[in-house]
Amino acid sequence: MQTPETPQCDLCKTAMRQGRTAWHFICRQCGLEKTTLIPQINEIQTINETQRAQALQNLRTHNFATLLSWLEQQCANQRPAGQRPTLLEVGCAHGWFLQQAQANYAAQGIEADHAMAQQTQAKGMAVRSGLFPHILKADERFDLIVFNDVLEHIPHVSSVLQHCHQHLNPGGYVVINAPDSEGIFYRLSKWLTYLGLDASFKRMWQWGLPSPHLYYFNTATLKKIATANHFSMHSTMPLPSITLDGLIERIQYTGNHSKIKSWIIFYLIKTFLPWLQAAKPDIRVWLLKKE
């Protein structure tokens, strides 16, 4: 029997079964993973943003350059010569993606964290502080709407894609850059819960942070959600989820590890990095096309 604590699958509209914790659920029919964790953006602040930037900037900017180059190939001939495609990034954070995208796109962003939005606005970028899609005007349209590590944090994913459909030009694209539930680190964290070790699983869901993950997607679940909301799965590609540059800061900024434990984790990852890089990636980009 479905209870208030048992969420409904966004796609199948059926009660989900409990997964690895009391707050983790999996759809019996489509396999979508979901949580009952509650976002508290602008209510609690537990992240040192300076440390977060040091931990993530190198990896993110490298991945964003790869992503933009890939999009140029995938979305070619979208606009007449001399006219830049319009791009909206939802959850633009520090503005690293927007900064790179401005070279080839008429790019702007939305950021839910008011303090972060002000910081990015101060850099001269076109950023609105608020929530998607409420901050948009009803008649605003874009060629691309981009979610970089954001869609998995927003409630009601089907509704989000419906709004994307409304705010895209004909033949427009949704770009979803997000963790993949088939990735090696996520699957390992689930396996560790069988041994009573749930710390890494909590970390994967960003448990205890202002904006925890509400979903974990993979290609199969996203394809079903896309089809149900009048999108087609155009293409997909993996992105690296780990580099040694900035790794120690990344280990430390969301964990309560001592310096010794952090360095032990660092050297373990460094030792097994070639094997980890050969395994299924933990970050994937999915490109959905409006039908």
Side-chain angles (χ1 to χ4, degrees), residues 23 36 62 75 131 140 146 195 234-235 275 280 286 288:
W23 42 264
T36 54
H62 175 271
C75 307
L131 297 174
E140 285 189 270
V146 182
L195 304 179
H234 183 274
S235 50
W275 179 79
K280 284 193 174 183
W286 294 274
L288 312 182

Side-chain angles (χ1 to χ4, degrees), residues 30-31 37 59 68 85 133 140 160 168 198 223 270 273 282 288:
C30 71
L37 298 174
L59 176 63
L68 285 164
E140 285 189 270
V160 174
L168 279 171
D198 65 354
K223 186 175 182 179
K270 182 178 180 180
L273 187 59
D282 279 83
L288 312 182

Side-chain angles (χ1 to χ4, degrees), residues 50-91:
T50 300
Q51 188 180 37
R52 180 172 181 257
Q54 292 172 346
L56 296 176
Q57 186 168 7
N58 288 337
L59 176 63
R60 291 280 175 86
T61 53
H62 175 271
N63 281 356
F64 289 158
T66 302
L67 172 56
L68 285 164
S69 177
W70 182 72
L71 288 176
E72 284 292 303
Q73 299 171 9
Q74 299 294 319
C75 307
N77 304 318
Q78 190 172 6
R79 280 290 183 199
Q83 188 175 349
R84 294 192 301 168
T86 53
L87 180 151
L88 175 71
E89 184 186 13
V90 179

Side-chain angles (χ1 to χ4, degrees), residues 107-178:
Q108 57 180 290
I110 295 172
E111 175 52 48
D113 186 314
H114 302 321
M116 180 58 65
Q118 290 175 352
Q119 290 181 33
T120 309
Q121 290 166 352
K123 299 175 184 177
M125 299 183 202
V127 174
R128 285 178 258 186
S129 178
L131 297 174
F132 175 85
H134 314 294
I135 197 70
L136 296 176
K137 297 177 182 178
D139 60 350
E140 285 189 270
R141 300 291 184 272
F142 304 90
D143 295 312
L144 295 96
I145 298 178
V146 182
F147 297 86
N148 284 311
D149 295 290
V150 169
L151 186 63
E152 67 274 18
H153 296 271
I154 305 178
H156 313 300
V157 63
S158 283
S159 177
V160 174
L161 284 185
Q162 290 168 19
H163 288 298
C164 285
H165 200 277
Q166 295 169 13
H167 288 284
L168 279 171
N169 288 319
Y173 295 91
V174 173
V175 183
I176 302 169
N177 173 8

